[in-house]
Amino acid sequence: MPDETLVFFKPNIIINDEVDTALAFFKKIGTVKRIMTVRKTMGFFERLYANMQIPNKRHHSAFCSSAEVVAVILTGADIVNKAKKITGDQDASIAAVETVRGFFYKKYPHSNGSRNFVHVSDSVESAEREIKMFFGE
């Protein structure tokens, strides 16, 4: 059975109609098992980010709950590491342009670098927990 990871595109991807462009990065490294558009509460994102080492967790939670997100289960060999690599630096303003975050920051330089366009699981354990949170699997 292939590995799985969670990817979700944040509101700035949805608002700018860039889901297909963002998804294309991930289709190069894995297979989409499930995809859904959903709106979650601030409390949901606070629970999601609770154990993560990110600045301004409350800010991230408010941003992600402000509109719909697109959640994806991506599968493939070593998919957690591949997804982290293609996603790029957490700070989109310094992410390499060939990564998702770097590409979109260059395209939308007015964006706040901390509103980094996409979330990916940082470990196999996180992926399992996050997939259950979004998809109930």
Side-chain angles (χ1 to χ4, degrees):
M1 176 172 229
D3 297 333
E4 294 182 342
T5 197
L6 178 87
V7 174
F8 79 80
F9 303 121
K10 297 180 181 180
N12 47 359
I13 291 289
I14 312 328
I15 291 165
N16 289 301
D17 197 27
E18 295 281 11
V19 172
D20 289 340
T21 304
L23 192 58
F25 279 88
F26 293 97
K27 286 182 173 180
K28 291 177 186 175
I29 60 162
T31 302
V32 173
K33 178 180 176 183
R34 289 193 58 196
I35 186 168
M36 72 174 175
T37 302
V38 63
R39 184 146 187 199
K40 297 286 190 178
T41 65
M42 187 163 169
F44 174 89
F45 287 105
E46 287 175 330
R47 288 188 303 279
L48 179 77
Y49 290 128
N51 297 320
M52 296 181 197
Q53 299 299 316
I54 58 172
N56 304 317
K57 290 179 188 180
R58 190 157 178 77
H59 169 79
H60 278 300
S61 298
F63 172 60
C64 291
S65 63
S66 69
E68 292 179 329
V69 299
V70 174
V72 180
I73 300 174
L74 197 66
T75 65
D78 196 32
I79 198 64
V80 171
N81 289 320
K82 289 177 181 176
K84 287 188 330 187
K85 185 175 180 181
I86 197 70
T87 297
D89 196 282
Q90 208 171 37
D91 181 346
S93 69
I94 62 170
V97 72
E98 64 273 7
T99 66
V100 178
R101 290 176 177 153
F103 174 85
F104 285 112
Y105 189 79
K106 183 176 181 187
K107 190 169 184 178
Y108 301 103
H110 60 279
S111 290
N112 177 328
S114 69
R115 292 186 175 182
N116 56 18
F117 306 101
V118 63
H119 168 87
V120 295
S121 302
D122 64 1
S123 68
V124 172
E125 297 77 21
S126 292
E128 290 172 359
R129 181 179 67 84
E130 294 169 5
I131 288 168
K132 284 179 185 170
M133 286 181 74
F134 271 93
F135 291 91
E137 294 186 7

